[in-house]
Amino acid sequence: MKINTAITAAVLCFAAMQAAAQITAPTATPTPMTNVYGRNPQLLNGKWAAIIDPYDQGVPKEIYLDRTPQNDTEFFEYAFDGGMRLEVPSDWNSQMPELKYYEGTIWYARHLLVGEKASPREGQCATTVEMPREDERLFLCFGAVNYRCNVYLNGSRICSHEGGFTPFEVEIGDKLREGDNFLAVEVDNRRRTDAIPAMAFDWWNYGGITRDVMIVRTPKVYVRDYFLRLGKDGGNKILFSVDLSEAASREVTLEIGELGISKTLKTDGRGHGEAVFETKKLKLWAPEAPYLYDVRLTCDGATIEDRIGFRRVAVDGTKILVNGREVFLRSISFHEEIPQRMGRACTQADARMLLSEAKELGANTIRLAHYPQNEYTVRMAEEMGFILWEEIPIWQGIDFTDTATSDKAHGMLREMITRDRNRCAICLWGIANETRPSQARNAFLKSLLDEGKSIDTSRLFVAAFDNAYFIRENDRFEMDDDFARNLDVVAVNKYMGWYAAWPKDPATIRWEICTDKPLMISEFGGEALYGQHGNAHRASSWSEEYQAQLYADNLAMFANIPNLAGISPWILFDFRSPYRFHPTNQEGWNRKGLLSDRGQKKKAWYIIRDFYRTKRNEQSKK
Ligand code: GCB
């Protein structure tokens, strides 16, 4: 009895300590700096030491401390030296068979060695880091960690972050000491009702430090953010704005050599500066000619390099215009996954593989499903001339009544837009996928939309809906969702022939949805196992023939949508999904890919390739 009481007291006391720690936990720098890659970062990639902690014993056992026994009676029940190793960046699930389905906590650790005397112990995961100079600051920057994490340096928690697909950073220059510094990152990818995405989603929940980890050096006052874009008035005016890390007045020089721009401006007392440039012969970025300029920013001796393009994107009635020209979005989606190795895409080579396949299909647009993908992909897509739709993972099942969830969504939106708003390829910001009308949903999404528009007025906002239905009395597809009226482009996911049966001959079906706005079919498709042949009229054949017929039928239906501005088949590759149970046809894979998990072309691939060819030819004649 006594023992029980003691245990209960200890548990309560520990819970209280945890709650207190939660409340006082430092968070990452509110909005991370723009363009880390253009600031000459030092990569901390490679093998990291790791400990699997399914019962969350790391905190009570203080495994974020790098300790060795000090006397004959002392011992510790953990050690990173001599233990398992995980590659960073990467997911953990693909690195060890026992981690395939793992959802829980894993600790990552690395030593940061400062000064000549510090040398790694044998087999230790370590990086040599130079101590910041008197006039310098040092930041630890994470491209993304899925899903939430706590970062510890030399035994103190220095930052926490939630959200698996956006960057964050924490200052460490003031916390480093000469010699050995111990960095530990506690990563937890458990699904939760208040998370984004929440409890169930149709992709693999890859956990880990899934993107680059970097150290960036800056002056004491540095350029935190900048934004270069074309003015909306139709001329060749370039608008430039810059924000410093502090409310300080500093000179910032912007150079775009090729345009003869070299301008030094002084920020105001809030650390903010703006300038407008009139240019004569500006080459615009366009999908068929994705021109980018070398850009350089200098402030207090620090230089940031970037490549930035300029284009105009607008809506005119039901049309989407890029540089004043109508563009039909020949889109495709992919997850941030390399199916061939069953893991997260995380390198430049991975980005090249996915994007080259999209090019071969004839796409001019990519809907980056369903979350901000890594900067390699976004930047390479821009260089290759893809229009991008980038979205945050508001995917079904989100608790719209929870204000904490709303705060998280706002944080993700800010982190996404701040990271990528200098990428002119991004023409659409997506705020949600498949949500249903309710007061709470409307308020949640409206406040997101308002915030997005307040940060970036140079793009279109979109959301994908799945509540368009065939209304028999009216003999057409309709959608009863007033929220759509707030968006620049309305998008509908509709799986005719797969989750929904055809109500009549596809070629005779009409659509009447937001007919005064551009409408995009943002998802459609069905599953087929590559190499499986069978009945073209039976879904349960899981055959390439059925999928191909479904594609042909959908294209016939789309021909009658009056305000159709683009289509995005679901999806480029078969992808891994834990809720696809069929033992022979799925085996944990969503088989809607136009390409198999090995990259083999299914019959439906050719149908879209041909359709996109025709569309491209039509466009080039306009
Ligand atoms: C959808 C979702 C997408 C799924 C897809 C499917 O509507 O937006 O994430 O993977 O359907 O295959 O069911």
Side-chain angles (χ1 to χ4, degrees):
M1 189 64 188
K2 262 190 196 146
I3 291 171
N4 274 349
T5 321
I7 291 173
T8 315
V11 167
L12 284 176
C13 170
F14 175 62
M17 273 162 55
Q18 268 204 324
Q22 210 77 42
I23 293 160
T24 55
T27 50
T29 315
T31 28
M33 63 179 88
T34 312
N35 187 14
V36 172
Y37 289 99
R39 298 174 193 247
N40 194 20
Q42 178 185 5
L43 290 171
L44 297 186
N45 295 343
K47 296 271 183 224
W48 287 50
I51 289 176
I52 308 175
D53 180 14
Y55 290 2
D56 285 318
Q57 289 306 295
V59 172
K61 286 186 191 290
E62 300 182 314
I63 71 174
Y64 45 81
L65 296 175
D66 181 33
R67 292 181 290 195
T68 38
Q70 296 300 308
N71 54 50
D72 289 348
T73 55
E74 198 169 43
F75 67 91
F76 300 108
E77 286 187 287
Y78 75 92
F80 284 96
D81 288 357
M84 69 185 263
R85 299 288 182 259
L86 287 175
E87 195 67 42
V88 170
S90 182
D91 60 274
W92 61 52
N93 314 73
S94 62
Q95 296 192 51
M96 287 167 69
E98 51 273 57
L99 292 178
K100 179 173 174 184
Y101 290 101
Y102 185 68
E103 294 186 306
T105 297
I106 291 193
W107 291 80
Y108 286 74
R110 194 162 191 86
H111 292 264
L112 305 181
L113 305 176
V114 177
E116 279 160 19
K117 286 192 204 123
S119 58
R121 293 197 290 266
E122 207 190 313
Q124 200 174 53
C125 299
T127 304
T128 304
V129 176
E130 244 179 71
M131 197 60 139
R133 294 190 316 253
E134 270 292 289
D135 58 348
E136 262 184 347
R137 296 167 75 174
L138 225 70
F139 290 86
L140 180 65
C141 305
F142 291 85
V145 173
N146 194 40
Y147 170 80
R148 60 183 75 74
C149 70
N150 291 307
V151 181
Y152 295 80
L153 185 64
N154 296 330
S156 302
R157 176 144 61 139
I158 56 167
C159 123
S160 333
H161 185 261
E162 178 166 350
F165 304 99
T166 44
F168 60 95
E169 71 202 14
V170 58
E171 184 160 10
I172 57 163
D174 49 351
K175 299 165 190 83
L176 281 183
R177 56 190 183 210
E178 282 288 323
D180 191 348
N181 295 267
F182 187 58
L183 175 66
V185 186
E186 178 191 18
V187 185
D188 170 14
N189 71 334
R190 289 181 185 90
R191 287 162 293 114
R192 288 225 306 236
T193 51
D194 63 351
I196 304 174
M199 289 306 287
F201 38 93
D202 191 18
W203 66 86
W204 206 265
N205 184 22
Y206 290 115
I209 305 181
T210 51
R211 296 192 190 151
D212 292 340
V213 185
M214 293 162 276
I215 285 184
V216 171
R217 285 162 197 277
T218 71
K220 291 282 179 209
V221 175
Y222 61 93
V223 170
R224 184 178 53 76
D225 186 21
Y226 56 92
F227 189 16
L228 262 170
R229 71 274 185 205
L230 209 51
K232 285 185 112 179
D233 62 3
N236 275 354
K237 255 188 214 150
I238 294 179
L239 312 184
F240 171 61
S241 56
V242 60
D243 284 290
L244 302 181
S245 55
E246 322 299 313
S249 181
R250 287 285 189 285
E251 287 192 340
V252 179
T253 303
L254 169 75
E255 290 167 276
I256 312 179
E258 213 188 317
L259 289 174
I261 293 176
S262 176
K263 160 97 181 166
T264 301
L265 61 83
K266 203 160 190 181
T267 58
D268 61 21
R270 294 173 302 134
H272 178 78
E274 286 181 7
V276 178
F277 304 96
E278 276 289 354
T279 52
K280 289 227 167 57
K281 20 178 217 332
L282 186 68
K283 280 191 217 155
L284 296 180
W285 180 97
E288 49 299 341
Y291 200 80
L292 300 175
Y293 288 92
D294 287 325
V295 171
R296 175 199 286 254
L297 263 98
T298 314
C299 178
D300 271 5
T303 300
I304 306 171
E305 310 268 359
D306 210 340
R307 284 174 55 72
I308 293 186
F310 302 95
R311 58 92 192 97
R312 216 165 270 115
V313 59
V315 156
D316 179 16
T318 61
K319 297 183 176 121
I320 296 174
L321 309 180
V322 174
N323 303 328
R325 210 168 152 218
E326 182 183 357
V327 183
F328 183 86
L329 303 182
R330 310 188 308 265
S331 177
I332 191 67
S333 278
F334 51 71
H335 274 292
E336 190 172 50
E337 180 182 72
I338 301 298
Q340 291 89 340
R341 67 160 193 264
M342 301 206 278
R344 259 272 176 270
C346 51
T347 63
Q348 242 167 330
D350 292 345
R352 193 174 311 283
M353 190 288 266
L354 293 166
L355 293 166
S356 309
E357 290 290 356
K359 257 283 163 277
E360 200 183 336
L361 184 67
N364 66 357
T365 301
I366 292 169
R367 176 182 178 207
L368 293 166
H370 276 300
Y371 35 77
Q373 299 199 8
N374 65 56
E375 274 196 74
Y376 293 129
T377 303
V378 173
R379 285 176 179 271
M380 199 180 289
E382 180 166 82
E383 301 262 356
M384 290 171 74
F386 287 108
I387 292 170
L388 296 176
W389 157 337
E390 194 171 31
E391 65 193 35
I392 51 172
I394 300 277
W395 190 95
Q396 298 180 7
I398 299 292
D399 183 357
F400 292 119
T401 61
D402 184 349
T403 50
T405 305
S406 168
D407 291 346
K408 287 173 205 173
H410 279 266
M412 288 178 191
L413 187 76
R414 275 196 300 274
E415 286 167 354
M416 172 178 79
I417 297 182
T418 318
R419 192 194 75 171
D420 285 342
R421 68 181 169 166
N422 284 310
R423 305 280 73 78
C424 69
I426 295 178
C427 291
L428 299 138
W429 294 125
I431 59 164
N433 182 69
E434 302 190 341
T435 63
R436 296 296 165 84
S438 73
Q439 258 185 359
R441 193 264 343 229
N442 293 354
F444 188 110
L445 292 191
K446 184 67 175 49
S447 81
L448 267 184
L449 187 61
D450 289 346
E451 168 144 30
K453 292 201 160 183
S454 76
I455 319 175
D456 184 3
T457 55
S458 68
R459 287 183 172 81
L460 309 177
F461 282 81
V462 64
F465 299 89
D466 66 340
N467 45 346
Y469 301 107
F470 185 76
I471 308 297
R472 211 161 272 286
E473 306 86 77
N474 303 339
D475 192 29
R476 63 187 184 215
F477 272 95
E478 293 177 6
M479 187 171 80
D480 188 13
D481 196 329
D482 286 342
F483 188 77
R485 304 240 43 90
N486 294 303
L487 298 159
D488 303 303
V489 175
V490 176
V492 172
N493 300 345
K494 195 75 222 174
Y495 285 87
M496 294 310 297
W498 192 251
Y499 299 126
W502 290 104
K504 57 193 286 205
D505 173 6
T508 64
I509 293 177
R510 292 182 304 136
W511 280 58
E512 214 171 295
I513 294 176
C514 295
T515 47
D516 55 340
K517 287 176 182 283
L519 178 83
M520 186 163 170
I521 298 293
S522 37
E523 288 178 29
F524 69 101
E527 301 205 18
L529 192 63
Y530 172 77
Q532 184 144 297
H533 298 288
N535 191 330
H537 302 283
R538 180 161 299 151
S540 62
S541 69
W542 301 84
S543 66
E544 285 193 49
E545 286 75 14
Y546 184 81
Q547 191 193 37
Q549 184 60 46
L550 177 153
Y551 267 79
D553 289 344
N554 274 279
L555 293 184
M557 175 176 73
F558 300 157
N560 294 327
I561 301 181
N563 49 337
L564 189 72
I567 63 164
S568 199
W570 189 255
I571 183 171
L572 185 58
F573 277 100
D574 287 354
F575 61 96
R576 297 176 75 213
S577 170
Y579 70 69
R580 301 292 168 179
F581 307 125
H582 195 282
T584 53
N585 298 313
Q586 294 180 307
E587 296 176 282
W589 289 86
N590 181 319
R591 295 285 182 199
K592 294 194 187 69
L594 295 172
L595 297 169
S596 74
D597 53 309
R598 304 273 174 97
Q600 296 134 315
K601 298 179 173 78
K602 302 183 194 171
K603 286 185 187 301
W605 184 93
Y606 295 93
I607 292 180
I608 288 299
R609 195 266 320 260
D610 292 349
F611 179 73
Y612 280 177
R613 262 190 198 159
T614 310
K615 280 284 175 195
R616 192 187 51 208
N617 293 341
E618 278 171 20
Q619 173 132 21
S620 60
K621 282 189 206 125
K622 275 188 188 163

